[in-house]
Amino acid sequence: MKLFKQISCTLFCAILLSACGGGGGGSAPGNGGGSSGGSSSNTGNNSNPAGDWLTFNPAQVDITVYEGESLPVNIVGTATKTFAKTINIAIVDNVGVITPNTGVSAITPMQYRVTLNSNPGLKPGVYSSQILVRLCEDDPRVCNVPFQGSPWTLPYKITVKAKADATQRVSISPASIDLSGNEGDNLPMKISVKPGQDLPASFNVGIVDKDKLTYSSSNMGFQYKPNQEYNADFVVRPNLLPGTYSGQFEVRICVDDPNYCSQPLAGSPWIVPYKFTLKSKAAGITLNINSLPSVLDFTYYEGETRQFSISAESVTDIGKPVNLGIYDSARNSTVKSSNKVSNTKTIATLETSPALKAGVYNSTLEVRTCVDDPIDCKWPFNGSPRQIPLKITVRSNTNLTPLKSLPQVSSWSTFQGNAAHSGYVPASFYPSNFLRRWNWTPASAGFLSDISIENGVVFLNKTSATYPSGVYELTALNESNGQVLWKTPMGKLSKANAPAAGSGKVFVTSTGHSDTFFWVFDQATGALLNKIAMNSQWETYLAPTVYGNEVFTESGYYGGMSKYSIGEQKISWGIGLPQYDTWTPAVDANFAYTYLSGSLHAVSKADGKVAYTIKNPDFSWAGYGGSTPVLSERNMAFVSGNGLQAFDLSKQTRAWSVTGNISAAPAYAKDVVFVLNANGTVLEARSAQTGSLVWMASALSSDNVSRNFRNMVVTDNLVFISSGNNTLAIDIKTRQVVWEHPFGGSLAISDRGVLYIKGDSRIEAINLQ
């Protein structure tokens, strides 16, 4: 095989001519390689001493290759003289061990590197022959005009091994990689490559992650490290999500750049498989799962719902929010909203199904806490999922059990039930019997007044949605079933106040300048029996107070009190008093009482004159609202104002007082005064004689949510209190909440054992017996 390198030769000659001052032309890209093979300087085989001016190093080529690979062999030619003629070079291999791919490049003006490449098509075996090097003035393939000493011979020996044996050329550690960690961990990996046998003097090593799941922390690329151990460090990419990843490193040994490796050595690439499992950081974090209320056990009535919440909170912030997924096994509840308060806390609000019929429903809530979508929840927090039981008892919406009158229990005729406004019902009731009887909402929107109850009928005023000014109608409901018995229009008024009931009649006041009247209606039919003009400005009155055959009410343009005689059907007298509103007189056998401007006023029932006043020495003005006294059978009066005030009516002195932020009027029963203190968050029972604390209850609901209670009714064994949206029964002996109802408002108990809760636009009747 003759190899004619005209281009390379042109470069060769150009360099020679440059050394001797001659001319030449052309250039070709050299094919650079590693260092020259061998260290001694030897001439090639040349029997003509005239050829000693050109020597080759090495003088003999002896390499080992593997089947299928082509290795470069660098031979350095050194000249000791130059010629003023163009030199053409030919390299002749008659066996075909060398490929036509050769290169010539200058090292110095008198020294050149010739790169030969072994033929990759050689089969295993040993190939020995020689290469003929011709330098000629003419075509070196003919070489009729050779240069002095040409040709030169370069012996070679090439040993070709089987490709299967190439796997032993390097040793790699480890053979495979299997790691586990948490997302974001570095997970370091080190791969060591130790050269073995039959490697060329110069080679390039590179370790490449084909799947690009890692990156190198040690200048990854390719490096020349002949006869040295090569180490590369890798770490897992920090942005990988939790999961299991598989891939492979390629250990490449190449003649050229290992990043491309167009000239791999036989056996390359060697494969190092890897697998690593990344757990979610959440897997090690335990969350606090809480429900509100803490026990999901609800009792309510058909058509209603209950809302509750479930929160998940962690003390550790992993930089990702907690995703809550809550699944009801029986679909008795659904998630209404989910609020990610922070990376460490999420709250979900759920609601029970309004479609549940009467019955008991048990299901399990599966609470999933996940970094990802809870539907998949590939990356759960520790302990997920959590199971929370849910129990729902749905009662029939209407429970019309027979009603019977209770002995010793009077009608609920006015504010706090009676003329003493004690808020006391002398009977015992047991929560196991409590069941909603009915509820009533007017067909048209509007506001409802407080109620009075007598003879099995509930009386109230209803007005349009423009309260207080609007169209009013007095309404009577059948206590047995909540049906409307009659409605009597009162016309458009500035304000009609809550009704009182007594002696078969209903008594109503209306206020607001020209709209101020005292109204009397028939309980049975709703017919208007009497309407008497009175004077007022824009005050709000509580229900009149009925005592026997007399009715007492707040009145007067500048404040005062009036008495209406039922028998005479007229207002018997009126008296001026300090101008305060939202009160009604407390009445006993001789006097009608009110608390205004820091004094208790006792007005004679006979002639309407102030019999005496008792001052509160600690009075401080707090607005134009008066207070309704609560009377005891021991001739005491209790007033909510600047705390709790107790007046001895016999001695006409203030007996004692208690500081505090008292909500609404107190109640009285059996020598004990009950007050809602601390802005309605604490129920206190105090001695009526001294004011000393007998007992108190501050945990006023099972869910421990602070509420402001403003209404109260006392029985022999229970105290009922209510806020705007919740009603409780507290056992007097244990001071514990024994019954809760999720509806609030003003309270009343009829003589037939029905508890009424009056909200702004709805009334609920609860069977107590």
Side-chain angles (χ1 to χ4, degrees):
M1 176 185 292
K2 294 180 180 180
L3 305 178
F4 172 58
K5 297 298 290 183
Q6 177 64 52
I7 296 177
S8 296
C9 189
T10 301
L11 175 63
F12 187 84
C13 296
I15 296 171
L16 289 179
L17 292 174
S18 173
C20 61
S27 65
N31 204 9
S35 61
S36 62
S39 59
S40 62
S41 177
N42 300 300
T43 61
N45 292 330
N46 193 318
S47 58
N48 185 354
D52 290 347
W53 63 271
L54 179 63
T55 59
F56 299 98
N57 186 19
Q60 180 175 348
V61 174
D62 187 354
I63 63 172
T64 299
V65 299
Y66 283 80
E67 184 181 7
E69 74 181 4
S70 177
L71 289 183
V73 178
N74 293 314
I75 301 171
V76 176
T78 303
T80 58
K81 65 179 180 177
T82 62
F83 299 90
K85 298 177 182 179
T86 299
I87 300 176
N88 297 307
I89 183 169
I91 299 174
V92 181
D93 174 17
N94 292 317
V95 181
V97 174
I98 303 301
T99 71
N101 183 22
T102 63
V104 179
S105 60
I107 300 174
T108 70
M110 301 297 289
Q111 194 174 52
Y112 313 94
R113 179 184 293 113
V114 178
T115 301
L116 306 176
N117 291 277
S118 64
N119 189 341
L122 297 176
K123 300 300 181 182
V126 177
Y127 299 84
S128 298
S129 185
Q130 59 186 10
I131 297 170
L132 186 65
V133 180
R134 299 173 182 169
L135 273 66
C136 313
E137 294 183 36
D138 58 339
D139 186 339
R141 289 171 293 188
V142 179
C143 203
N144 290 324
V145 186
F147 277 80
Q148 182 181 1
S150 179
W152 289 263
T153 58
L154 186 65
Y156 67 79
K157 176 184 176 183
I158 298 179
T159 304
V160 180
K161 293 188 175 183
K163 188 175 183 178
D165 297 333
T167 57
Q168 304 302 316
R169 300 177 86 174
V170 295
S171 59
I172 300 171
S173 178
S176 63
I177 296 172
D178 190 346
L179 299 174
S180 296
N182 295 320
E183 58 175 320
D185 289 353
N186 284 333
L187 291 186
M189 293 165 272
K190 180 185 288 293
I191 297 176
S192 298
V193 180
K194 188 174 183 180
Q197 299 176 349
D198 302 329
L199 286 170
S202 175
F203 57 86
N204 301 313
V205 177
I207 302 176
V208 178
D209 180 1
K210 286 185 63 179
D211 298 281
K212 299 180 179 179
L213 299 175
T214 66
Y215 69 90
S216 173
S217 61
S218 56
N219 296 323
M220 242 339 270
F222 70 95
Q223 299 180 11
Y224 296 91
K225 286 194 175 181
N227 302 317
Q228 298 181 38
E229 184 174 302
Y230 182 84
N231 296 304
D233 295 311
F234 295 85
V235 293
V236 174
R237 291 191 178 277
N239 59 343
L240 292 181
L241 296 174
T244 299
Y245 297 86
S246 296
Q248 59 185 25
F249 294 108
E250 284 189 354
V251 179
R252 299 174 181 176
I253 299 184
C254 317
V255 174
D256 58 338
D257 185 340
N259 288 304
Y260 309 105
C261 201
S262 60
Q263 292 179 272
L265 297 189
S268 179
W270 286 263
I271 302 301
V272 178
Y274 66 78
K275 183 179 81 170
F276 47 84
T277 301
L278 297 178
K279 296 181 180 179
S280 169
K281 287 183 179 179
I285 304 299
T286 300
L287 302 185
N288 295 319
I289 308 296
N290 297 302
S291 65
L292 187 64
S294 56
V295 178
L296 302 182
D297 187 347
F298 301 107
T299 299
Y300 56 90
Y301 298 88
E302 283 185 77
E304 296 179 352
T305 62
R306 291 292 178 270
Q307 285 196 349
F308 58 97
S309 65
I310 293 177
S311 62
E313 186 171 14
S314 170
V315 296
T316 302
D317 186 352
I318 65 170
K320 299 176 181 178
V322 178
N323 292 310
L324 263 181
I326 304 173
Y327 306 93
D328 189 332
S329 60
R331 299 184 180 180
N332 294 329
S333 62
T334 55
V335 176
K336 303 298 290 184
S337 65
S338 183
N339 179 25
K340 295 176 183 176
V341 179
S342 65
N343 275 350
T344 60
K345 186 172 183 179
T346 299
I347 302 175
T349 300
L350 296 92
E351 185 175 63
T352 59
S353 171
L356 299 178
K357 302 299 181 183
V360 178
Y361 300 85
N362 289 283
S363 60
T364 300
L365 301 181
E366 181 180 289
V367 181
R368 300 179 187 176
T369 51
C370 320
V371 173
D372 57 332
D373 189 331
I375 294 177
D376 300 321
C377 204
K378 296 177 182 177
W379 308 306
F381 283 85
N382 187 36
S384 178
R386 188 82 57 85
Q387 309 296 324
I388 298 179
L390 170 65
K391 180 181 179 182
I392 302 172
T393 303
V394 180
R395 292 178 171 175
S396 174
N397 203 27
T398 303
N399 299 280
L400 304 180
T401 57
L403 294 177
K404 60 181 180 179
S405 297
L406 295 172
Q408 299 181 340
V409 177
S410 303
S411 299
W412 191 276
S413 67
T414 185
F415 173 72
Q416 296 213 161
N418 49 51
H421 306 301
S422 64
Y424 168 57
V425 176
S428 293
F429 302 103
Y430 302 96
S432 58
N433 297 326
F434 296 178
L435 192 64
R436 189 170 72 183
R437 185 174 187 86
W438 50 260
N439 68 95
W440 180 79
T441 302
S444 57
F447 292 84
L448 307 180
S449 73
D450 285 351
I451 66 172
S452 59
I453 314 156
E454 190 169 56
N455 299 321
V457 181
V458 179
F459 304 100
L460 65 136
N461 261 319
K462 171 192 170 295
T463 188
S464 62
T466 56
Y467 179 84
S469 179
V471 177
Y472 284 82
E473 61 183 14
L474 183 66
T475 303
L477 304 177
N478 188 329
E479 185 174 13
S480 178
N481 55 25
Q483 298 298 310
V484 175
L485 294 174
W486 51 257
K487 294 186 292 185
T488 298
M490 297 177 64
K492 186 174 182 180
L493 299 167
S494 297
K495 184 181 296 180
N497 301 297
S503 300
K505 296 175 177 59
V506 182
F507 307 98
V508 180
T509 59
S510 60
T511 49
H513 288 272
S514 60
D515 286 341
T516 306
F517 296 95
F518 187 87
W519 308 64
V520 182
F521 300 88
D522 183 86
Q523 285 188 10
T525 65
L528 179 62
L529 302 178
N530 204 351
K531 180 180 178 183
I532 304 172
M534 297 194 304
N535 293 321
S536 75
Q537 295 184 42
W538 302 109
E539 288 90 352
T540 296
Y541 295 173
L542 298 184
T545 301
V546 182
Y547 189 94
N549 227 17
E550 300 169 329
V551 182
F552 298 84
T553 181
E554 177 184 355
S555 66
Y557 193 81
Y558 295 108
M561 183 192 301
S562 294
K563 181 181 82 170
Y564 175 80
S565 172
I566 297 175
E568 297 178 2
Q569 300 183 36
K570 69 176 185 179
I571 293 180
S572 301
W573 52 255
I575 183 176
L577 293 169
Q579 190 174 7
Y580 292 77
D581 68 348
T582 61
W583 59 272
T584 188
V587 183
D588 61 16
N590 299 309
F591 301 102
Y593 304 91
T594 184
Y595 180 80
L596 309 171
S597 192
S599 293
L600 182 75
H601 302 265
V603 179
S604 172
K605 290 170 52 178
D607 57 14
K609 295 181 180 180
V610 175
Y612 61 87
T613 60
I614 307 173
K615 290 186 177 181
N616 171 14
D618 300 320
F619 171 72
S620 60
W621 188 82
Y624 285 103
S627 295
T628 299
V630 173
L631 305 180
S632 79
E633 74 281 2
R634 297 194 178 190
N635 219 23
M636 296 282 289
F638 308 98
V639 174
S640 173
N642 302 125
L644 177 64
Q645 310 297 322
F647 298 95
D648 187 325
L649 303 181
S650 299
K651 298 179 180 179
Q652 298 181 15
T653 60
R654 187 182 73 171
W656 52 262
S657 67
V658 173
T659 59
N661 190 354
I662 309 296
S663 292
Y668 170 82
K670 298 180 179 179
D671 213 28
V672 175
V673 181
F674 298 86
V675 292
L676 290 165
N677 208 339
N679 199 28
T681 61
V682 176
L683 174 64
E684 295 179 348
R686 293 186 172 273
S687 166
Q689 300 306 308
T690 65
S692 60
L693 184 66
V694 178
W695 58 263
M696 64 178 289
S698 56
L700 300 182
S701 57
S702 62
D703 57 14
N704 294 321
V705 173
S706 179
R707 295 183 175 90
N708 302 114
F709 293 88
R710 302 189 61 82
N711 305 280
M712 178 168 43
V713 178
V714 179
T715 71
D716 286 339
N717 66 322
L718 301 173
V719 179
F720 292 92
I721 61 175
S722 101
S723 64
N725 54 18
N726 203 33
T727 301
L728 311 178
I730 298 173
D731 189 283
I732 291 177
K733 289 185 178 180
T734 66
R735 291 49 147 169
Q736 299 299 310
V737 175
V738 293
W739 178 76
E740 291 186 64
H741 186 70
F743 185 68
S746 62
L747 303 177
I749 296 179
S750 75
D751 59 354
R752 302 185 184 191
V754 178
L755 170 68
Y756 292 92
I757 308 171
K758 195 282 304 177
D760 287 340
S761 57
R762 189 173 97 202
I763 296 176
E764 292 204 354
I766 310 294
N767 287 321
L768 298 183
Q769 61 172 338

